[in-house]
Amino acid sequence: METIVRPRTRTPWSRLLHRRPVVVDLTEEEPGTPETYRAMDLALRVGELLLASGESTESVTEAMLSLAQSYDLPRPEVIVNFTAISISCLPGQGAAPVTGERVVRRRSPDYTRLVAVHQLIRDAADGLPLDVAFLDLKQIKHGRNFYPRWIIALSLPLMSAAASVLTGGGLIVSSVAFVAALLAERTTVFLARRGVAEFYQFSVAAAIAALTAVLIMATGVQLQGSAVITAAIITLLPGRPLVASVADGITGAFVSSAARILEVFFALAAIVAGVGIVVYTAVHFGLPLSMAALPAMPPGLDALQIVAAVALTVTFALSLHTPPRELLFAAVGGGLIWVFYTLMREANLNPVVSAGVSAAVVGTLAHFAASWQRRPALPYVVPLIGPLLPGTALYRGLLELGGGNVGQGWLNLSQALAIGMALAAGITVGGELVRAFRGTPIAAMAAGWRRPAARRTRGY
């Protein structure tokens, strides 16, 4: 041990501080080794996979710090943004700091891999060797998906069919909604493989779904086309990034939160553009698209609507590659959130409050279930918002704009956005309650992590 004593000075601040000898243990500082660089590489790869799967900025930071702590990285620092992550460490003994960075270029939400990566982080905290951790990560990243491709391909069309039942459609409307969503989904896959920007993918998908309903009505078939278009809109609404943006904002990651909000905005703008062009053209040529034709079925507690809400939640979970173990929780949660929402609407509460309170109650139960199962929360909470996504309000606004009623149209679009924000805020409340009553998440405990937003000074 070496004791370093700073000489006394005459600066004003030196008289205000109590001087103590500074003890520095220089033997603990070691230059970087190849194991240090490999541990940094593992942390970066894990962070990239988590961020691409839709995890919040705080959760990615906790996971990377946990791996840094597990593999003895000296004085690690982690920075996570919307598209880039970096980790650095200071080896000591005059050695230069080491920094690594990776960029997330493609986002593919896969909750099966998300759960597996969180299990890998817990195993690393329990002493998993670094070489074995690399092999496990490679198997997670390149292993086969649990569900066949045809199930994933049919998940969004089935979600659209279930949504049409919630909005008052019958068997014919559900069948048309299924076909429209299937055409839209296959078209987006075709465009994605050719490198077309996601904005135009959303626009084309929304236009195809709306055009399918309009063309069928143009042939004279008695069809509730508004229910078809509303159901197709629900499958395109950016519920997952909206939840992540609110979670990032609440935890103090304002840069990532603002970027995710912009992602939500551009997704909504693409939907508005695609559906709006079709609706405006249909109204201009006199096709029967009017406010009277909007889905008018109120939320109810009859068996058909509850089953449709459960089916919508489960198919939404399948589209996100949710593991089978979590599908049962998704089914129960989808039914519960619809029941709570219906009861509050029957009590004459407005849709925004009803959606927010329902999401908070059921989301809290889902967060506690995830904590009890020692699993990440996203597969439990994100599918729950499916039955309450504001497809009808969004389509109502588009129809008003297409008919020339600009003021009422923007009011309905604002209500749709308010419902979405209420859902996202309500879902995140449960995570804070779990943190308060069940302690810090496992990854954060392994890293000795404490949330920076919780350490602010009181007052302003």
Side-chain angles (χ1 to χ4, degrees), residues 43 59-73 76 78 87 118 120-126 441-449:
S59 297
V60 177
T61 303
E62 290 173 353
M64 294 179 66
L65 286 175
S66 174
L67 290 173
Q69 183 74 18
S70 300
Y71 296 113
D72 300 323
L73 287 180
V78 173
I87 184 171
H118 277 273
L120 171 63
I121 296 168
R122 290 194 294 269
D123 293 342
D126 293 335
I442 299 171
M445 287 192 297
W449 164 266

PDB file of all heavy atoms in Angstrom, residues 43 59-73 76 78 87 118 120-126 441-449:
ATOM      1  N   ALA A  43     -20.121  -8.348 -24.061  1.00  0.00           N
ATOM      2  CA  ALA A  43     -21.084  -7.368 -23.573  1.00  0.00           C
ATOM      3  C   ALA A  43     -21.689  -6.564 -24.722  1.00  0.00           C
ATOM      4  O   ALA A  43     -22.898  -6.282 -24.732  1.00  0.00           O
ATOM      5  CB  ALA A  43     -20.416  -6.440 -22.566  1.00  0.00           C
ATOM      6  N   SER A  59     -32.587  -1.294 -19.431  1.00  0.00           N
ATOM      7  CA  SER A  59     -32.390  -2.742 -19.318  1.00  0.00           C
ATOM      8  C   SER A  59     -31.130  -3.185 -20.047  1.00  0.00           C
ATOM      9  O   SER A  59     -30.398  -4.059 -19.563  1.00  0.00           O
ATOM     10  CB  SER A  59     -33.609  -3.477 -19.875  1.00  0.00           C
ATOM     11  OG  SER A  59     -34.764  -3.187 -19.117  1.00  0.00           O
ATOM     12  N   VAL A  60     -30.848  -2.598 -21.210  1.00  0.00           N
ATOM     13  CA  VAL A  60     -29.631  -2.936 -21.936  1.00  0.00           C
ATOM     14  C   VAL A  60     -28.400  -2.511 -21.141  1.00  0.00           C
ATOM     15  O   VAL A  60     -27.414  -3.241 -21.056  1.00  0.00           O
ATOM     16  CB  VAL A  60     -29.640  -2.281 -23.334  1.00  0.00           C
ATOM     17  CG1 VAL A  60     -28.335  -2.570 -24.067  1.00  0.00           C
ATOM     18  CG2 VAL A  60     -30.823  -2.787 -24.152  1.00  0.00           C
ATOM     19  N   THR A  61     -28.456  -1.325 -20.542  1.00  0.00           N
ATOM     20  CA  THR A  61     -27.338  -0.851 -19.726  1.00  0.00           C
ATOM     21  C   THR A  61     -27.097  -1.771 -18.541  1.00  0.00           C
ATOM     22  O   THR A  61     -25.951  -2.136 -18.232  1.00  0.00           O
ATOM     23  CB  THR A  61     -27.624   0.577 -19.239  1.00  0.00           C
ATOM     24  OG1 THR A  61     -27.846   1.427 -20.363  1.00  0.00           O
ATOM     25  CG2 THR A  61     -26.449   1.105 -18.436  1.00  0.00           C
ATOM     26  N   GLU A  62     -28.166  -2.170 -17.862  1.00  0.00           N
ATOM     27  CA  GLU A  62     -28.031  -3.083 -16.724  1.00  0.00           C
ATOM     28  C   GLU A  62     -27.407  -4.409 -17.157  1.00  0.00           C
ATOM     29  O   GLU A  62     -26.550  -4.958 -16.458  1.00  0.00           O
ATOM     30  CB  GLU A  62     -29.400  -3.324 -16.100  1.00  0.00           C
ATOM     31  CG  GLU A  62     -29.974  -2.108 -15.378  1.00  0.00           C
ATOM     32  CD  GLU A  62     -31.401  -2.350 -14.929  1.00  0.00           C
ATOM     33  OE1 GLU A  62     -31.974  -3.404 -15.298  1.00  0.00           O
ATOM     34  OE2 GLU A  62     -31.953  -1.498 -14.209  1.00  0.00           O
ATOM     35  N   ALA A  63     -27.852  -4.935 -18.291  1.00  0.00           N
ATOM     36  CA  ALA A  63     -27.330  -6.221 -18.758  1.00  0.00           C
ATOM     37  C   ALA A  63     -25.839  -6.134 -19.079  1.00  0.00           C
ATOM     38  O   ALA A  63     -25.057  -7.019 -18.709  1.00  0.00           O
ATOM     39  CB  ALA A  63     -28.111  -6.677 -19.982  1.00  0.00           C
ATOM     40  N   MET A  64     -25.432  -5.073 -19.753  1.00  0.00           N
ATOM     41  CA  MET A  64     -24.024  -4.947 -20.123  1.00  0.00           C
ATOM     42  C   MET A  64     -23.147  -4.725 -18.899  1.00  0.00           C
ATOM     43  O   MET A  64     -22.038  -5.274 -18.802  1.00  0.00           O
ATOM     44  CB  MET A  64     -23.867  -3.795 -21.123  1.00  0.00           C
ATOM     45  CG  MET A  64     -24.547  -4.046 -22.462  1.00  0.00           C
ATOM     46  SD  MET A  64     -24.367  -2.670 -23.622  1.00  0.00           S
ATOM     47  CE  MET A  64     -22.592  -2.699 -23.914  1.00  0.00           C
ATOM     48  N   LEU A  65     -23.613  -3.937 -17.952  1.00  0.00           N
ATOM     49  CA  LEU A  65     -22.839  -3.746 -16.719  1.00  0.00           C
ATOM     50  C   LEU A  65     -22.762  -5.031 -15.910  1.00  0.00           C
ATOM     51  O   LEU A  65     -21.767  -5.291 -15.226  1.00  0.00           O
ATOM     52  CB  LEU A  65     -23.462  -2.629 -15.884  1.00  0.00           C
ATOM     53  CG  LEU A  65     -23.233  -1.206 -16.398  1.00  0.00           C
ATOM     54  CD1 LEU A  65     -23.996  -0.201 -15.554  1.00  0.00           C
ATOM     55  CD2 LEU A  65     -21.738  -0.867 -16.394  1.00  0.00           C
ATOM     56  N   SER A  66     -23.825  -5.823 -15.962  1.00  0.00           N
ATOM     57  CA  SER A  66     -23.788  -7.101 -15.258  1.00  0.00           C
ATOM     58  C   SER A  66     -22.709  -8.014 -15.844  1.00  0.00           C
ATOM     59  O   SER A  66     -21.945  -8.650 -15.101  1.00  0.00           O
ATOM     60  CB  SER A  66     -25.156  -7.780 -15.350  1.00  0.00           C
ATOM     61  OG  SER A  66     -25.113  -9.078 -14.800  1.00  0.00           O
ATOM     62  N   LEU A  67     -22.616  -8.080 -17.176  1.00  0.00           N
ATOM     63  CA  LEU A  67     -21.574  -8.892 -17.795  1.00  0.00           C
ATOM     64  C   LEU A  67     -20.189  -8.332 -17.494  1.00  0.00           C
ATOM     65  O   LEU A  67     -19.232  -9.092 -17.278  1.00  0.00           O
ATOM     66  CB  LEU A  67     -21.801  -8.953 -19.304  1.00  0.00           C
ATOM     67  CG  LEU A  67     -23.015  -9.763 -19.762  1.00  0.00           C
ATOM     68  CD1 LEU A  67     -23.217  -9.609 -21.268  1.00  0.00           C
ATOM     69  CD2 LEU A  67     -22.842 -11.236 -19.410  1.00  0.00           C
ATOM     70  N   ALA A  68     -20.066  -7.007 -17.492  1.00  0.00           N
ATOM     71  CA  ALA A  68     -18.771  -6.402 -17.158  1.00  0.00           C
ATOM     72  C   ALA A  68     -18.351  -6.756 -15.740  1.00  0.00           C
ATOM     73  O   ALA A  68     -17.167  -7.032 -15.474  1.00  0.00           O
ATOM     74  CB  ALA A  68     -18.860  -4.884 -17.329  1.00  0.00           C
ATOM     75  N   GLN A  69     -19.301  -6.767 -14.817  1.00  0.00           N
ATOM     76  CA  GLN A  69     -18.998  -7.137 -13.438  1.00  0.00           C
ATOM     77  C   GLN A  69     -18.681  -8.628 -13.333  1.00  0.00           C
ATOM     78  O   GLN A  69     -17.780  -9.027 -12.584  1.00  0.00           O
ATOM     79  CB  GLN A  69     -20.194  -6.794 -12.543  1.00  0.00           C
ATOM     80  CG  GLN A  69     -19.989  -7.068 -11.060  1.00  0.00           C
ATOM     81  CD  GLN A  69     -19.079  -6.065 -10.411  1.00  0.00           C
ATOM     82  OE1 GLN A  69     -18.869  -4.983 -10.962  1.00  0.00           O
ATOM     83  NE2 GLN A  69     -18.538  -6.403  -9.252  1.00  0.00           N
ATOM     84  N   SER A  70     -19.394  -9.448 -14.083  1.00  0.00           N
ATOM     85  CA  SER A  70     -19.186 -10.894 -13.989  1.00  0.00           C
ATOM     86  C   SER A  70     -17.806 -11.300 -14.485  1.00  0.00           C
ATOM     87  O   SER A  70     -17.222 -12.269 -13.974  1.00  0.00           O
ATOM     88  CB  SER A  70     -20.261 -11.622 -14.802  1.00  0.00           C
ATOM     89  OG  SER A  70     -21.557 -11.321 -14.318  1.00  0.00           O
ATOM     90  N   TYR A  71     -17.287 -10.600 -15.490  1.00  0.00           N
ATOM     91  CA  TYR A  71     -15.998 -10.967 -16.070  1.00  0.00           C
ATOM     92  C   TYR A  71     -14.897  -9.953 -15.729  1.00  0.00           C
ATOM     93  O   TYR A  71     -13.907  -9.832 -16.449  1.00  0.00           O
ATOM     94  CB  TYR A  71     -16.145 -11.134 -17.578  1.00  0.00           C
ATOM     95  CG  TYR A  71     -17.072 -12.287 -17.921  1.00  0.00           C
ATOM     96  CD1 TYR A  71     -18.294 -12.054 -18.530  1.00  0.00           C
ATOM     97  CD2 TYR A  71     -16.733 -13.589 -17.596  1.00  0.00           C
ATOM     98  CE1 TYR A  71     -19.163 -13.098 -18.831  1.00  0.00           C
ATOM     99  CE2 TYR A  71     -17.594 -14.642 -17.884  1.00  0.00           C
ATOM    100  CZ  TYR A  71     -18.807 -14.389 -18.498  1.00  0.00           C
ATOM    101  OH  TYR A  71     -19.661 -15.431 -18.768  1.00  0.00           O
ATOM    102  N   ASP A  72     -15.103  -9.225 -14.636  1.00  0.00           N
ATOM    103  CA  ASP A  72     -14.042  -8.413 -14.007  1.00  0.00           C
ATOM    104  C   ASP A  72     -13.449  -7.368 -14.928  1.00  0.00           C
ATOM    105  O   ASP A  72     -12.217  -7.190 -14.994  1.00  0.00           O
ATOM    106  CB  ASP A  72     -12.921  -9.324 -13.478  1.00  0.00           C
ATOM    107  CG  ASP A  72     -13.422 -10.314 -12.441  1.00  0.00           C
ATOM    108  OD1 ASP A  72     -14.306  -9.931 -11.643  1.00  0.00           O
ATOM    109  OD2 ASP A  72     -12.950 -11.457 -12.438  1.00  0.00           O
ATOM    110  N   LEU A  73     -14.286  -6.661 -15.656  1.00  0.00           N
ATOM    111  CA  LEU A  73     -13.781  -5.526 -16.418  1.00  0.00           C
ATOM    112  C   LEU A  73     -13.461  -4.379 -15.470  1.00  0.00           C
ATOM    113  O   LEU A  73     -14.280  -4.022 -14.627  1.00  0.00           O
ATOM    114  CB  LEU A  73     -14.817  -5.070 -17.452  1.00  0.00           C
ATOM    115  CG  LEU A  73     -15.013  -5.965 -18.675  1.00  0.00           C
ATOM    116  CD1 LEU A  73     -16.059  -5.365 -19.594  1.00  0.00           C
ATOM    117  CD2 LEU A  73     -13.708  -6.160 -19.419  1.00  0.00           C
ATOM    118  N   PRO A  76     -15.829  -0.252 -15.647  1.00  0.00           N
ATOM    119  CA  PRO A  76     -16.552  -0.179 -16.926  1.00  0.00           C
ATOM    120  C   PRO A  76     -17.529   0.989 -16.957  1.00  0.00           C
ATOM    121  O   PRO A  76     -18.086   1.398 -15.933  1.00  0.00           O
ATOM    122  CB  PRO A  76     -17.296  -1.510 -16.986  1.00  0.00           C
ATOM    123  CG  PRO A  76     -17.547  -1.846 -15.547  1.00  0.00           C
ATOM    124  CD  PRO A  76     -16.350  -1.332 -14.788  1.00  0.00           C
ATOM    125  N   VAL A  78     -20.837   2.259 -19.615  1.00  0.00           N
ATOM    126  CA  VAL A  78     -21.689   1.830 -20.723  1.00  0.00           C
ATOM    127  C   VAL A  78     -22.550   2.999 -21.175  1.00  0.00           C
ATOM    128  O   VAL A  78     -23.115   3.721 -20.337  1.00  0.00           O
ATOM    129  CB  VAL A  78     -22.588   0.641 -20.317  1.00  0.00           C
ATOM    130  CG1 VAL A  78     -23.584   0.309 -21.420  1.00  0.00           C
ATOM    131  CG2 VAL A  78     -21.740  -0.578 -19.982  1.00  0.00           C
ATOM    132  N   ILE A  87     -19.019   0.499 -24.810  1.00  0.00           N
ATOM    133  CA  ILE A  87     -18.535   0.134 -23.489  1.00  0.00           C
ATOM    134  C   ILE A  87     -17.056   0.463 -23.427  1.00  0.00           C
ATOM    135  O   ILE A  87     -16.329   0.299 -24.416  1.00  0.00           O
ATOM    136  CB  ILE A  87     -18.795  -1.357 -23.188  1.00  0.00           C
ATOM    137  CG1 ILE A  87     -18.380  -1.692 -21.755  1.00  0.00           C
ATOM    138  CG2 ILE A  87     -18.100  -2.257 -24.180  1.00  0.00           C
ATOM    139  CD1 ILE A  87     -18.809  -3.092 -21.318  1.00  0.00           C
ATOM    140  N   HIS A 118     -31.348 -13.083 -21.463  1.00  0.00           N
ATOM    141  CA  HIS A 118     -31.427 -12.767 -20.031  1.00  0.00           C
ATOM    142  C   HIS A 118     -30.995 -13.964 -19.184  1.00  0.00           C
ATOM    143  O   HIS A 118     -30.368 -13.786 -18.129  1.00  0.00           O
ATOM    144  CB  HIS A 118     -32.849 -12.339 -19.675  1.00  0.00           C
ATOM    145  CG  HIS A 118     -33.119 -10.899 -19.954  1.00  0.00           C
ATOM    146  ND1 HIS A 118     -32.845  -9.900 -19.046  1.00  0.00           N
ATOM    147  CD2 HIS A 118     -33.629 -10.271 -21.046  1.00  0.00           C
ATOM    148  CE1 HIS A 118     -33.185  -8.718 -19.550  1.00  0.00           C
ATOM    149  NE2 HIS A 118     -33.660  -8.925 -20.769  1.00  0.00           N
ATOM    150  N   LEU A 120     -28.751 -16.124 -20.121  1.00  0.00           N
ATOM    151  CA  LEU A 120     -27.303 -16.123 -20.264  1.00  0.00           C
ATOM    152  C   LEU A 120     -26.660 -15.131 -19.299  1.00  0.00           C
ATOM    153  O   LEU A 120     -25.617 -15.420 -18.695  1.00  0.00           O
ATOM    154  CB  LEU A 120     -26.930 -15.785 -21.708  1.00  0.00           C
ATOM    155  CG  LEU A 120     -25.445 -15.538 -22.004  1.00  0.00           C
ATOM    156  CD1 LEU A 120     -24.632 -16.791 -21.734  1.00  0.00           C
ATOM    157  CD2 LEU A 120     -25.255 -15.082 -23.445  1.00  0.00           C
ATOM    158  N   ILE A 121     -27.272 -13.973 -19.132  1.00  0.00           N
ATOM    159  CA  ILE A 121     -26.731 -12.968 -18.204  1.00  0.00           C
ATOM    160  C   ILE A 121     -26.756 -13.487 -16.775  1.00  0.00           C
ATOM    161  O   ILE A 121     -25.797 -13.303 -16.013  1.00  0.00           O
ATOM    162  CB  ILE A 121     -27.529 -11.661 -18.336  1.00  0.00           C
ATOM    163  CG1 ILE A 121     -27.345 -11.070 -19.732  1.00  0.00           C
ATOM    164  CG2 ILE A 121     -27.098 -10.647 -17.280  1.00  0.00           C
ATOM    165  CD1 ILE A 121     -28.300  -9.956 -20.045  1.00  0.00           C
ATOM    166  N   ARG A 122     -27.841 -14.159 -16.389  1.00  0.00           N
ATOM    167  CA  ARG A 122     -27.894 -14.726 -15.038  1.00  0.00           C
ATOM    168  C   ARG A 122     -26.863 -15.832 -14.859  1.00  0.00           C
ATOM    169  O   ARG A 122     -26.235 -15.943 -13.800  1.00  0.00           O
ATOM    170  CB  ARG A 122     -29.300 -15.256 -14.764  1.00  0.00           C
ATOM    171  CG  ARG A 122     -30.345 -14.166 -14.608  1.00  0.00           C
ATOM    172  CD  ARG A 122     -31.632 -14.719 -14.009  1.00  0.00           C
ATOM    173  NE  ARG A 122     -32.280 -15.662 -14.929  1.00  0.00           N
ATOM    174  CZ  ARG A 122     -33.180 -15.312 -15.829  1.00  0.00           C
ATOM    175  NH1 ARG A 122     -33.533 -14.033 -15.944  1.00  0.00           N
ATOM    176  NH2 ARG A 122     -33.739 -16.212 -16.617  1.00  0.00           N
ATOM    177  N   ASP A 123     -26.675 -16.658 -15.897  1.00  0.00           N
ATOM    178  CA  ASP A 123     -25.655 -17.706 -15.806  1.00  0.00           C
ATOM    179  C   ASP A 123     -24.259 -17.108 -15.681  1.00  0.00           C
ATOM    180  O   ASP A 123     -23.410 -17.647 -14.937  1.00  0.00           O
ATOM    181  CB  ASP A 123     -25.725 -18.600 -17.048  1.00  0.00           C
ATOM    182  CG  ASP A 123     -27.012 -19.414 -17.103  1.00  0.00           C
ATOM    183  OD1 ASP A 123     -27.672 -19.554 -16.058  1.00  0.00           O
ATOM    184  OD2 ASP A 123     -27.363 -19.887 -18.210  1.00  0.00           O
ATOM    185  N   ALA A 124     -23.998 -16.021 -16.389  1.00  0.00           N
ATOM    186  CA  ALA A 124     -22.689 -15.372 -16.279  1.00  0.00           C
ATOM    187  C   ALA A 124     -22.463 -14.842 -14.869  1.00  0.00           C
ATOM    188  O   ALA A 124     -21.356 -14.931 -14.326  1.00  0.00           O
ATOM    189  CB  ALA A 124     -22.582 -14.240 -17.296  1.00  0.00           C
ATOM    190  N   ALA A 125     -23.518 -14.293 -14.251  1.00  0.00           N
ATOM    191  CA  ALA A 125     -23.387 -13.813 -12.873  1.00  0.00           C
ATOM    192  C   ALA A 125     -23.133 -14.956 -11.899  1.00  0.00           C
ATOM    193  O   ALA A 125     -22.536 -14.758 -10.841  1.00  0.00           O
ATOM    194  CB  ALA A 125     -24.649 -13.045 -12.476  1.00  0.00           C
ATOM    195  N   ASP A 126     -23.567 -16.176 -12.267  1.00  0.00           N
ATOM    196  CA  ASP A 126     -23.342 -17.345 -11.409  1.00  0.00           C
ATOM    197  C   ASP A 126     -22.022 -18.036 -11.684  1.00  0.00           C
ATOM    198  O   ASP A 126     -21.744 -19.099 -11.097  1.00  0.00           O
ATOM    199  CB  ASP A 126     -24.486 -18.348 -11.596  1.00  0.00           C
ATOM    200  CG  ASP A 126     -25.811 -17.808 -11.067  1.00  0.00           C
ATOM    201  OD1 ASP A 126     -25.772 -16.930 -10.167  1.00  0.00           O
ATOM    202  OD2 ASP A 126     -26.872 -18.241 -11.542  1.00  0.00           O
ATOM    203  N   PRO A 441     -33.781  -5.433 -10.343  1.00  0.00           N
ATOM    204  CA  PRO A 441     -33.706  -6.595 -11.239  1.00  0.00           C
ATOM    205  C   PRO A 441     -32.411  -7.370 -11.082  1.00  0.00           C
ATOM    206  O   PRO A 441     -31.400  -6.859 -10.609  1.00  0.00           O
ATOM    207  CB  PRO A 441     -33.816  -5.969 -12.631  1.00  0.00           C
ATOM    208  CG  PRO A 441     -34.535  -4.692 -12.410  1.00  0.00           C
ATOM    209  CD  PRO A 441     -34.113  -4.202 -11.066  1.00  0.00           C
ATOM    210  N   ILE A 442     -32.457  -8.635 -11.503  1.00  0.00           N
ATOM    211  CA  ILE A 442     -31.313  -9.534 -11.299  1.00  0.00           C
ATOM    212  C   ILE A 442     -30.062  -9.009 -11.983  1.00  0.00           C
ATOM    213  O   ILE A 442     -28.970  -8.988 -11.408  1.00  0.00           O
ATOM    214  CB  ILE A 442     -31.660 -10.936 -11.833  1.00  0.00           C
ATOM    215  CG1 ILE A 442     -32.856 -11.482 -11.053  1.00  0.00           C
ATOM    216  CG2 ILE A 442     -30.484 -11.879 -11.719  1.00  0.00           C
ATOM    217  CD1 ILE A 442     -33.423 -12.756 -11.621  1.00  0.00           C
ATOM    218  N   ALA A 443     -30.187  -8.575 -13.222  1.00  0.00           N
ATOM    219  CA  ALA A 443     -29.017  -8.073 -13.946  1.00  0.00           C
ATOM    220  C   ALA A 443     -28.428  -6.856 -13.264  1.00  0.00           C
ATOM    221  O   ALA A 443     -27.216  -6.686 -13.180  1.00  0.00           O
ATOM    222  CB  ALA A 443     -29.399  -7.740 -15.387  1.00  0.00           C
ATOM    223  N   ALA A 444     -29.278  -5.990 -12.729  1.00  0.00           N
ATOM    224  CA  ALA A 444     -28.785  -4.788 -12.069  1.00  0.00           C
ATOM    225  C   ALA A 444     -28.103  -5.132 -10.760  1.00  0.00           C
ATOM    226  O   ALA A 444     -27.099  -4.518 -10.385  1.00  0.00           O
ATOM    227  CB  ALA A 444     -29.939  -3.812 -11.829  1.00  0.00           C
ATOM    228  N   MET A 445     -28.626  -6.105 -10.024  1.00  0.00           N
ATOM    229  CA  MET A 445     -28.004  -6.496  -8.759  1.00  0.00           C
ATOM    230  C   MET A 445     -26.615  -7.052  -8.996  1.00  0.00           C
ATOM    231  O   MET A 445     -25.679  -6.784  -8.244  1.00  0.00           O
ATOM    232  CB  MET A 445     -28.875  -7.531  -8.056  1.00  0.00           C
ATOM    233  CG  MET A 445     -30.146  -6.960  -7.452  1.00  0.00           C
ATOM    234  SD  MET A 445     -30.976  -8.129  -6.354  1.00  0.00           S
ATOM    235  CE  MET A 445     -31.369  -9.437  -7.495  1.00  0.00           C
ATOM    236  N   ALA A 446     -26.452  -7.846 -10.058  1.00  0.00           N
ATOM    237  CA  ALA A 446     -25.146  -8.423 -10.343  1.00  0.00           C
ATOM    238  C   ALA A 446     -24.128  -7.356 -10.678  1.00  0.00           C
ATOM    239  O   ALA A 446     -22.943  -7.514 -10.425  1.00  0.00           O
ATOM    240  CB  ALA A 446     -25.261  -9.416 -11.503  1.00  0.00           C
ATOM    241  N   ALA A 447     -24.577  -6.244 -11.233  1.00  0.00           N
ATOM    242  CA  ALA A 447     -23.658  -5.186 -11.635  1.00  0.00           C
ATOM    243  C   ALA A 447     -23.497  -4.113 -10.578  1.00  0.00           C
ATOM    244  O   ALA A 447     -22.719  -3.191 -10.754  1.00  0.00           O
ATOM    245  CB  ALA A 447     -24.165  -4.535 -12.927  1.00  0.00           C
ATOM    246  N   GLY A 448     -24.219  -4.209  -9.464  1.00  0.00           N
ATOM    247  CA  GLY A 448     -24.180  -3.137  -8.483  1.00  0.00           C
ATOM    248  C   GLY A 448     -24.769  -1.852  -9.013  1.00  0.00           C
ATOM    249  O   GLY A 448     -24.385  -0.756  -8.620  1.00  0.00           O
ATOM    250  N   TRP A 449     -25.750  -1.976  -9.906  1.00  0.00           N
ATOM    251  CA  TRP A 449     -26.311  -0.825 -10.625  1.00  0.00           C
ATOM    252  C   TRP A 449     -27.380  -0.147  -9.798  1.00  0.00           C
ATOM    253  O   TRP A 449     -28.232  -0.787  -9.189  1.00  0.00           O
ATOM    254  CB  TRP A 449     -26.872  -1.312 -11.958  1.00  0.00           C
ATOM    255  CG  TRP A 449     -27.796  -0.372 -12.653  1.00  0.00           C
ATOM    256  CD1 TRP A 449     -29.148  -0.348 -12.581  1.00  0.00           C
ATOM    257  CD2 TRP A 449     -27.432   0.685 -13.546  1.00  0.00           C
ATOM    258  NE1 TRP A 449     -29.662   0.633 -13.378  1.00  0.00           N
ATOM    259  CE2 TRP A 449     -28.626   1.290 -13.982  1.00  0.00           C
ATOM    260  CE3 TRP A 449     -26.220   1.174 -14.016  1.00  0.00           C
ATOM    261  CZ2 TRP A 449     -28.636   2.352 -14.867  1.00  0.00           C
ATOM    262  CZ3 TRP A 449     -26.241   2.215 -14.902  1.00  0.00           C
ATOM    263  CH2 TRP A 449     -27.431   2.800 -15.314  1.00  0.00           C
TER     264      TRP A 449
END
